[in-house]
């Protein structure tokens, strides 16, 4: 195996101290030209690639960069409208501070752990869409400051910015039911790893991902308020992919009595549903009303424009970035308000 050439080797070959050799690379303005030339010549002869930027940054104690982490594959940051909106707000804050961003994700737990441990950042923003507890555990092991987005829980030692998932979902349910709909269906996000399809009562009760559990609970609370047995309303778990959402819709609208309203647990799910329904000649909101959850920009221009429970996505992203860049002194927990935005995708049933 070829030996790695170190700075100490260059210093020895140039006949200078290691400190002088280091300054020749990192602070050349304080080193005499003839000495600097000797060091550079020795480096070229030995094949020295230069000082390790990671080591230099870590010695400085601050790298001026934020890690943004999720348990989802890397494509989530680019494919999901909610993630794109959050990243836009985080990027804007980082631009103002001249800071960088490192995206951290992996399909396997082992690779995710390695990526978190090796990221050269000052702290992490965690996208706790699902698997949030594991993401927190791995980040805690790293020992850097972090703040979680959308993490549901009572651990007061975890800095978190989010919304009231239960009440936000209940608001969506109340809106649809208040229009007069009584035959509804829920298109949910992942409740547990590795499962999609119609959920049984036992599966709902044993749900792992807390955000999905809370939103289902909110929808069902609204149903109960309007005298509807929550157990009678189908809940389809999707993995946020087009294929799983299409499968759920095919099942629902292939039935003898399709729903007149869809409670979609994200705007991405709702937007995919709108496309599927339009291509099959199912009118929205004439035949079926659709309500989303998030408030992404794409919902304003969809056909028809999407009714949704809008999270303050920009405020969440900006606040999280500012906290990491300025330093988290003590745990900070904040719950932000949502807004029900009524557009053309919901109306009373015919």
């Amino acid at each position: 195996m070829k030996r790695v050439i170190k700075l100490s080797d260059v210093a020895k070959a140039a006949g200078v101290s290691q400190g002088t050799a280091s300054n020749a690379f990192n602070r050349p303005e304080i080193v005499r030209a003839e000495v600097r030339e000797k060091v550079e010549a020795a480096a070229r002869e030995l094949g020295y690639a230069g000082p390790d930027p990671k080591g230099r940054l870590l010695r400085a104690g601050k790298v001026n960069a934020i890690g943004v982490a999720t348990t989802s594959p890397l494509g989530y940051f680019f494919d999901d409208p909610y993630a794109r909106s959050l990243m836009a707000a985080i990027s804007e804050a980082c631009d103002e501070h001249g800071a960088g961003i490192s995206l951290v994700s992996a399909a396997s737990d082992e690779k995710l752990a390695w990526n978190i441990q090796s990221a050269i950042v000052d702290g992490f923003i965690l996208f706790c869409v699902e698997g949030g507890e594991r993401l927190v555990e791995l980040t805690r092991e790293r020992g850097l400051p972090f703040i979680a987005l959308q993490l549901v829980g009572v651990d007061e030692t975890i800095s978190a910015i989010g919304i009231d998932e239960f009440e936000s979902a209940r608001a969506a349910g109340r809106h649809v039911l208040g229009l007069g709909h009584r035959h509804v269906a829920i298109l949910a996000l992942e409740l547990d790893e590795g499962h999609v399809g119609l959920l049984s009562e036992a599966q709902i009760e044993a749900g792992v991902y807390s955000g999905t559990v809370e939103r289902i609970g909110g929808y069902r609370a609204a149903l109960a308020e309007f005298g509807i047995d929550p157990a009678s309303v189908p809940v389809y778990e999707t993995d946020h992919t087009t294929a799983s959402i299409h499968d759920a819709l095919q099942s629902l609208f292939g039935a003898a009595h399709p729903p007149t309203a869809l409670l979609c647990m994200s705007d991405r799910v709702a937007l995919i549903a709108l496309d599927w329904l339009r291509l099959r000649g199912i009118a929205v909101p004439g035949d079926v009303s659709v309500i989303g959850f998030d408030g992404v920009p794409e919902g304003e221009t969809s056909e028809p424009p999407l009714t949704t429970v809008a999270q303050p996505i920009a405020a969440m992203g900006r606040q999280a970035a500012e906290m990491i860049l300025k330093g988290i002194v003590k745990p900070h927990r904040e719950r932000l308000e949502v807004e029900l935005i009524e557009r053309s995708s919901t109306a009373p049933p015919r």
Side-chain angles (χ1 to χ4, degrees):
M1 178 182 288
K2 185 178 179 181
R3 188 172 75 88
V4 176
I5 302 301
K6 300 178 181 179
L7 182 63
S8 58
D9 299 318
V10 175
K12 183 177 180 181
V16 300
S17 70
Q18 187 168 331
T20 298
S22 176
N23 285 333
F25 288 106
N26 298 312
R27 303 172 65 195
E29 70 280 0
I30 70 170
V31 180
R32 296 199 320 274
E34 60 269 25
V35 175
R36 189 170 66 247
E37 289 169 5
K38 284 176 59 179
V39 172
E40 291 172 351
R44 286 194 298 271
E45 184 175 343
L46 294 172
Y48 177 62
D52 181 2
K54 180 171 70 174
R56 185 171 68 251
L57 289 170
L58 292 178
R59 284 192 297 274
K62 187 174 177 61
V63 299
N64 204 30
I66 292 175
V68 184
T70 176
T71 57
S72 301
L74 191 61
Y76 168 75
F77 291 111
F78 308 97
D79 298 336
D80 186 84
Y82 169 80
R84 288 200 302 267
S85 295
L86 261 177
M87 287 304 304
I90 293 169
S91 298
E92 185 177 296
C94 286
D95 281 343
E96 292 177 5
H97 288 267
I101 298 174
S102 177
L103 302 183
V104 180
S105 70
S108 73
D109 187 75
E110 181 180 347
K111 289 182 178 178
L112 180 63
W114 166 253
N115 289 346
I116 288 175
Q117 285 296 325
S118 61
I120 306 174
V121 295
D122 296 313
F124 291 91
I125 298 173
L126 309 183
F127 280 20
C128 296
V129 180
E130 64 265 335
E133 291 80 5
R134 179 57 177 154
L135 199 54
V136 167
E137 179 186 345
L138 291 171
T139 309
R140 268 182 160 163
E141 291 174 2
R142 175 67 191 272
L144 290 175
F146 68 89
I147 185 162
L149 301 181
Q150 289 192 315
L151 182 67
V152 179
V154 295
D155 189 341
E156 297 297 325
T157 67
I158 298 173
S159 291
I161 298 175
I163 61 170
D164 189 324
E165 305 279 1
F166 183 95
E167 290 299 334
S168 300
R170 177 149 65 178
R174 284 171 171 166
H175 169 71
V176 165
L177 296 165
L179 290 171
H181 293 278
R182 294 297 179 270
H183 189 34
V184 304
I186 298 169
L187 292 184
L189 302 180
E190 285 185 278
L191 190 62
D192 198 354
E193 188 174 354
H195 177 268
V196 295
L198 183 64
L199 290 167
S200 67
E201 284 298 303
Q203 287 172 316
I204 292 173
E205 291 176 5
V208 173
Y209 295 151
S210 53
T212 303
V213 170
E214 289 292 308
R215 292 187 190 183
I216 290 175
Y219 291 142
R220 289 182 144 199
L223 291 166
E225 288 178 20
F226 282 80
I228 301 171
D229 178 9
S232 69
V233 172
V235 181
Y236 275 83
E237 180 183 13
T238 75
D239 58 6
H240 231 209
T241 61
T242 300
S244 66
I245 297 163
H246 284 184
D247 286 346
L249 293 166
Q250 186 64 53
S251 176
L252 287 169
F253 289 90
H257 301 288
T260 66
L262 295 175
L263 296 168
C264 299
M265 205 170 280
S266 79
D267 282 351
R268 173 179 166 84
V269 171
L271 293 169
I272 290 172
L274 289 180
D275 288 340
W276 188 93
L277 294 164
R278 184 175 58 255
L279 289 172
R280 285 154 184 80
I282 301 172
V284 178
D287 297 322
V288 58
S289 285
V290 178
I291 186 170
F293 196 118
D294 282 334
V296 302
E298 290 85 346
E300 299 179 44
T301 57
S302 61
E303 184 55 45
L306 180 66
T307 296
T308 187
V309 175
Q311 302 190 59
I313 300 175
M316 291 169 63
R318 173 170 284 279
Q319 285 186 36
E322 293 282 352
M323 288 181 64
I324 296 299
L325 291 169
K326 293 179 179 178
I328 300 175
V329 178
K330 60 181 180 180
H332 173 90
R333 297 179 70 84
E334 187 169 356
R335 182 171 285 180
L336 304 181
E337 295 296 321
V338 300
E339 179 186 3
L340 178 65
I341 300 177
E342 296 184 44
R343 299 194 182 109
S344 306
S345 68
T346 53
R350 287 175 175 173

